[in-house]
Amino acid sequence: MFRRGYVRASLAQRSGTCRRCGACCRLVWRCRYFHEDKGLPSCKLYTRYRPPNCTNFPIDCRDIADRNLVAPKEACGFFWR
């Protein structure tokens, strides 16, 4: 669905790390592997396998804008130079 060259180039410019806030897991629909334990977001798969869509998200700053609709008060750990 994505242009591979664009994705690779954009990810090469991405800095930062995932803060594991869970906002991206609730963007369009709630991921079936996402759950909250005592109010802390967690992934049932994260320690064993991380799906490609999770590894690559966010692809660009537009994804950050979408993610911020879900959790506007908590900043994403990723950014672009």
Side-chain angles (χ1 to χ4, degrees):
M1 295 181 112
F2 298 102
R3 296 185 320 260
R4 288 182 187 169
Y6 175 79
V7 172
R8 284 187 191 120
S10 185
L11 292 179
Q13 297 295 313
R14 184 176 77 179
S15 296
T17 59
C18 178
R19 292 187 177 164
R20 297 182 69 182
C21 67
C24 59
C25 302
R26 298 174 283 153
L27 268 178
V28 178
W29 61 86
R30 186 181 172 101
C31 176
R32 64 182 173 167
Y33 301 111
F34 173 79
H35 68 101
E36 293 189 64
D37 185 19
K38 298 177 184 174
L40 298 173
S42 184
C43 175
K44 295 176 184 177
L45 288 180
Y46 196 88
T47 57
R48 292 176 286 161
Y49 169 74
R50 194 164 182 212
N53 56 327
C54 298
T55 303
N56 293 330
F57 189 89
I59 293 172
D60 59 25
C61 56
R62 291 175 294 183
D63 287 338
I64 297 291
D66 291 343
R67 176 240 171 252
N68 288 344
L69 294 173
V70 175
K73 294 180 182 179
E74 188 173 2
C76 183
F78 290 110
F79 59 93
W80 277 260
R81 295 177 240 156

